[in-house]
Amino acid sequence: MKQFNCGDVVPGCNARFVFDSEDKILQAVADHARKDHGMIDISHELVAQVRERIRPAA
């Protein structure tokens, strides 16, 4: 399992994502960014930041 904490990229956000693959995390984070942060386009830079911060789930 892998995890990503949105607050690692967006200070103050407490959303946490735990899935069995990086692809599932990236999809969930993209949906969250659109819905909860009002982002329309998910940039390559943002995807890179998320990928850098995905860790094994505790």
Side-chain angles (χ1 to χ4, degrees):
M1 298 295 281
K2 298 174 182 267
Q3 74 177 25
F4 170 74
N5 298 313
C6 188
D8 291 345
V9 174
V10 180
C13 183
N14 294 319
R16 180 174 179 253
F17 303 89
V18 179
F19 289 96
D20 61 358
S21 74
E22 186 174 294
D23 288 340
K24 289 180 182 176
I25 288 178
L26 291 172
Q27 182 60 53
V29 169
D31 292 343
H32 165 71
R34 287 183 186 100
K35 184 169 57 168
D36 297 325
H37 296 298
M39 295 180 181
I40 296 169
D41 294 316
I42 307 303
S43 69
H44 294 291
E45 292 81 12
L46 179 60
V47 172
Q49 289 178 357
V50 171
R51 282 182 194 251
E52 289 173 5
R53 291 165 177 84
I54 292 175
R55 304 281 181 250

